[in-house]
Amino acid sequence: MNQSPSLIEQGISQQHLKTVSCANVLTLAYQSLGVIYGDLSTSPLYVYKTTFSGKLSLHENDEEIFGVFSFIFWTFTLIALFKYVFIVLSADDNGEGGTFALYSLLCRYAKLRILPNHQEMDEKLSTYATGSPGETRQSAAVKSFFEKHPKSQKCLLLFVLLGTCMAIGDSVLTPTISVLSAVSGVKLKIPNLHENYVVIIACIILVAIFSVQRYGTHRVAFIFAPISTAWLLSISSIGVYNTIKWNPRIVSALSPVYMYKFLRSTGVEGWVSLGGVVLSITGVETMFADLGHFSSLSIKVAFSFFVYPCLILAYMGEAAFLSKHHEDIQQSFYKAIPEPVFWPVFIVATFAAVVGSQAVISATFSIISQCCALDCFPRVKIIHTSSKIHGQIYIPEVNWMLMCLCLAVTIGLRDTNMMGHAYGLAVTSVMLVTTCLMTLVMTIVWKQRIITVLAFVVFFGSIELLYFSSCVYKVPEGGWIPILLSLTFMAVMYIWNYGTTKKHEFDVENKVSMDRIVSLGPSIGMVRVPGIGLVYSNLVTGVPAVFGHFVTNLPAFHKILVFVCVKSVQVPYVGEEERFVISRVGPKEYGMFRSVVRYGYRDVPREMYDFESRLVSAIVEFVETEPGLEEEEMSNVRRKKEECMEIMEAKEAGVAYILGHSYAKAKQSSSVLKKLAVNVVFAFMSTNCRGTDVVLNVPHTSLLEVGMVYYV
């Protein structure tokens, strides 16, 4: 292969490029250990303990222990390695992963218009690619179903919100079970230590974890990867040691035959215990969710060649130890640690629990940010903790809410077994949601044959349903916690989405004709004052009712008027060059423009830095490039220059921000449930969430608020 001239001039060979590429992949793979695999790598702390917490008893032939390890190995191999690493990681949305990435792909390819202010021009974004236009019979049938049944689109949204809410519930349970499991090991060396003191120590660590969130992950992230690496190397080495010392025959449990023997001999109790086995793959969803921070290849390399073998060796060694120490089942992890290295491993385990907690907390901040972008969560304060690393954010309200929930679960349950039951239900629910969404992606986006799609959903779906059913059985023993949390968050998200959608529909139905307002100018004494007026609205066409309300009560507006719509689109990112879409409203002599400011669901609008200058520059550029009549080219150039000068002079005169301060109320004919949702819950959230002026960083000295009541 010939080298390009530019590469030859720089003295860079293709071989060197390949070396650099490999080095980058290995570097990202190493960094991912501390961000992605913290949760997954701490699972050995509590898997065997939770699995054998019920009525499942151990017999001398060790069939139960061999069967449980066989289940762990094949679950880890089939779900984590085959499903997530080999298949799900390929379903990225412009490099982004997670539930919202799958949902975004489906919305674009199936033409689902969940966001109310969608425009055809959004489909021309560089990140809005929808692949080849070819359709299969299956993909066309699914698209047709969604088009004919609009309620199915709502059901899909609810299904996605369910998975999202279960993931948020996961962020409450991960820190509690990881930290409490790690700290409880101290009781082996200090047997007289009361359980209350262990809980207090765990609570202190949890408070410390949440207290340092405001400083940002990047300040301490440099020690995350070494901690996770040391932890994985420690537990894998101990696993090899225990396997050789206690029972090398455990290697035979890699055979799937032992799973059959396990279920045959244990029956219902064996099926119920699978809720503990599934905890071995907690955190696999994080691999996909954090895909945007690393490359797909680096995550696959880290898992396949380091994380996977280390954890399998750790589980194997612990099973070998248990086969000779049945009485130590509830403290098997720390009991299996050789005496000389106990305290170093205990310290590393505590730090590893902190790293695992940090990973899911950061992921929750990203999830909430995406929900806000898609109008599925009340507006909250989003702080960028790093000026260099995109996506590292901190949300104070969510942080302290999670801390209170974690402390409540820790103090209320005090039992890692009950936490494990709750944790298992949350994990299996999220995996099932991902499997269902992947089935739609394979049909609509990848356009796979029906036999391939059915094989995927039947094979992986049946495995996950087996684990899900065993977790559902544990609902009275702690499984109710994620259900309660997810239903609460789902209610908040759905009511907020419903309220904002209804407000948008009200705006669309009550749009004002600009011709009518201007034609009324002489009769109501309307005048144009110097300056630029920015009227914020969710509308991408027409004039919002709030502006008509404004000019009716104060019959004057600015010489240059810009209707600004800040909206999200169904892509992860929007480039700065595609951010603004400028158009005219009415004839040129009106001096009115519309600016649509577009963000992706992964974009977090930073403070509207220098927004006025950027907006004015975009308008001036629009005026300069606006086409005109060829025969009047000279007069067009002169007119454009004059208009540009008028815009710049108006900017010098001052910029005013006109925002609607709206209140939504249910109509009198509405049902009691709707009145409760809109008049009470939605009104409470609207009052206590961050206002539009704060989100947009509008200067208070330039702010004009217009009060309106929306009857929905």
Side-chain angles (χ1 to χ4, degrees), residues 339-410:
E339 185 65 29
V341 296
F342 177 86
W343 285 111
V345 173
F346 172 78
I347 293 171
V348 175
T350 305
F351 279 111
V354 172
V355 172
S357 303
Q358 176 65 54
V360 294
I361 293 169
S362 300
T364 303
F365 292 157
S366 297
I367 289 173
I368 296 296
S369 173
Q370 294 169 36
C371 290
C372 291
L374 296 176
D375 287 334
C376 291
F377 200 83
R379 295 180 297 270
V380 290
K381 184 178 183 179
I382 299 176
I383 301 172
H384 289 262
T385 58
S386 174
S387 58
K388 298 179 180 179
I389 304 175
H390 181 86
Q392 288 200 358
I393 58 176
Y394 167 64
I395 305 177
E397 298 95 330
V398 175
N399 182 67
W400 302 123
M401 177 190 66
L402 289 178
M403 187 190 77
C404 292
L405 290 173
C406 285
L407 293 176
V409 172
T410 304

Side-chain angles (χ1 to χ4, degrees), residues 36-70:
I36 293 178
Y37 298 110
D39 182 13
L40 186 65
S41 63
T42 54
S43 297
L45 286 168
Y46 44 79
V47 168
Y48 283 107
K49 181 177 184 292
T50 306
T51 303
F52 290 99
S53 63
K55 298 178 181 178
L56 189 65
S57 57
L58 299 178
H59 297 94
E60 291 300 323
N61 60 7
D62 297 327
E63 204 165 77
E64 291 79 11
I65 293 174
F66 277 52
V68 168
F69 171 65
S70 184

Side-chain angles (χ1 to χ4, degrees), residues 420-687:
H421 301 156
Y423 201 9
L425 185 60
V427 170
T428 52
S429 299
V430 176
M431 289 194 300
L432 276 172
V433 169
T434 299
T435 298
C436 294
L437 292 178
M438 275 299 301
T439 303
L440 291 174
V441 167
M442 292 176 73
T443 304
I444 299 174
V445 181
W446 292 354
K447 299 179 176 61
Q448 294 291 319
R449 293 182 300 172
I450 188 67
I451 189 68
T452 305
V453 177
L454 285 176
F456 173 84
V457 70
V458 170
F459 182 73
F460 292 110
S462 59
I463 295 173
E464 290 163 1
L465 279 174
L466 175 65
Y467 287 120
F468 180 75
S469 62
S470 66
C471 292
V472 170
Y473 187 84
K474 298 287 186 69
V475 166
E477 301 174 27
W480 57 270
I481 295 175
I483 295 177
L484 179 62
L485 288 173
S486 62
L487 289 178
T488 303
F489 280 110
M490 269 193 72
V492 169
M493 290 182 177
Y494 186 75
I495 290 174
W496 183 262
N497 178 264
Y498 178 81
T500 51
T501 302
K502 288 298 180 182
K503 286 178 66 176
H504 180 80
E505 291 176 359
F506 180 91
D507 273 332
V508 172
E509 293 171 0
N510 293 273
K511 287 191 293 187
V512 181
S513 168
M514 178 53 68
D515 291 331
R516 181 170 178 273
I517 291 178
V518 174
S519 65
L520 291 175
S523 62
I524 62 175
M526 190 177 296
V527 295
R528 305 294 289 268
V529 297
I532 298 179
L534 304 181
V535 182
Y536 282 84
S537 165
N538 288 325
L539 295 179
V540 292
T541 59
V543 178
V546 67
F547 180 70
H549 190 60
F550 170 72
V551 296
T552 302
N553 291 276
L554 183 65
F557 54 90
H558 298 81
K559 191 172 184 180
I560 302 296
L561 196 67
V562 185
F563 296 99
V564 182
C565 173
V566 181
K567 72 169 189 175
S568 296
V569 290
Q570 291 166 335
V571 294
Y573 303 108
V574 176
E576 283 297 326
E577 67 280 1
E578 298 176 306
R579 182 82 66 204
F580 291 91
V581 177
I582 308 295
S583 60
R584 283 193 183 273
V585 178
K588 292 183 178 180
E589 55 269 20
Y590 282 18
M592 299 177 186
F593 301 89
R594 184 183 309 283
S595 173
V596 179
V597 188
R598 302 180 292 186
Y599 289 94
Y601 62 85
R602 279 279 192 178
D603 277 327
V604 181
R606 295 174 183 265
E607 293 75 12
M608 307 294 275
Y609 59 95
D610 201 22
F611 179 73
E612 295 175 8
S613 299
R614 293 164 61 210
L615 177 60
V616 171
S617 298
I619 294 173
V620 169
E621 183 181 351
F622 169 79
V623 171
E624 290 176 342
T625 57
E626 192 176 19
L629 297 175
E630 293 183 5
E631 56 269 20
E632 300 178 2
E633 184 175 351
M634 293 301 296
S635 61
N636 281 332
V637 172
R638 184 174 63 255
R639 195 181 307 114
K640 288 180 180 180
K641 287 184 177 180
E642 291 174 354
E643 188 173 6
C644 290
M645 288 297 297
E646 288 179 2
I647 294 171
M648 298 307 296
E649 289 173 0
K651 181 179 181 298
E652 294 298 323
V655 178
Y657 296 77
I658 304 170
L659 273 70
H661 194 80
S662 57
Y663 302 90
K665 286 189 177 182
K667 296 177 181 177
Q668 290 295 325
S669 58
S670 302
S671 64
V672 176
L673 184 61
K674 182 176 179 179
K675 287 181 179 178
L676 176 65
V678 176
N679 296 349
V680 179
V681 181
F682 183 76
F684 175 81
M685 290 190 291
S686 300
T687 304

